[in-house]
Structure formats: structure tokens, C-alpha cells
Amino acid sequence: MKSVYLVCATGIATSSMMRVKILDYLESKGIEAEVFQYRVAELSPERIKADLIVATTSIPPEIESNFKVINGVPLLTGIGEEETMEAIAKALSEE
């Protein structure tokens, strides 16, 4: 099963909002994934086991250069939300 890390500054409110939207969307597309919430300060390249990171905050370059990262801000603003959801589904459908 694929795994997604939702990353925001505190790992609480913003990532919780994204979690609900993403899980609902993935379910509607028949995509199974485990979704975890993290604070950006908790991320360490050697400990990341995610297939995808969706972030609403800046991600350190050493992580961004080694993992697939999608900007999650559109999921909060609603502007570009559908395109972001499609990008998430596509990233999780790739082998």
C-alpha cells in the first residue's frame, strides 16, 4: 500500500484538513493509501518511508530533492484544488 505524508508547520490543523479531503478523494478513485500527519521539523530523510509528501510549508531541500513533494496549499484555498488532487492520484498510481 502506498503511503502519503501530510506536512505542515505544526502537524495538527492544516494537515488534518488535508487528510479528510485527500482520503475522500482517493477513496472515490479507488486508490488505497495510508496517510500520516507530520510537522516539518519531524522529517528526516533517512526516516521517510513515504511514496508522496503533500506539504503546506517549505520542505528542506535535502528532502525535496529525494522525494516526490506536492504543494498542498490549493487544498486549503480551493484554488487549483482539483488539479492538486489529480496530481496526488497520479503520483500514487505510478509504480
Side-chain angles (χ1 to χ4, degrees):
M1 182 178 295
K2 300 282 183 158
S3 65
V4 180
Y5 286 9
L6 305 180
V7 181
C8 66
T10 63
I12 302 171
T14 305
S15 57
S16 294
M17 289 173 52
M18 286 195 306
R19 180 184 173 85
V20 171
K21 286 184 177 187
I22 290 171
L23 285 173
D24 286 349
Y25 184 83
L26 293 179
E27 183 179 330
S28 76
K29 297 295 181 186
I31 299 171
E32 291 186 23
E34 294 180 299
V35 179
F36 304 94
Q37 297 170 229
Y38 290 97
R39 290 180 298 129
V40 69
E42 294 176 312
L43 296 181
S44 169
E46 54 278 345
R47 294 178 49 206
I48 295 174
K49 304 284 189 238
D51 296 292
L52 175 65
I53 297 171
V54 181
T56 60
T57 189
S58 296
I59 298 294
E62 65 272 13
I63 294 172
E64 195 158 15
S65 64
N66 291 301
F67 297 93
K68 174 74 175 167
V69 178
I70 291 178
N71 179 2
V73 172
L75 303 179
L76 304 176
T77 65
I79 300 169
E81 182 173 334
E82 187 63 29
E83 294 86 353
T84 301
M85 289 295 199
E86 290 171 3
I88 291 168
K90 181 180 178 188
L92 293 175
S93 298
E94 295 173 349
E95 290 299 318

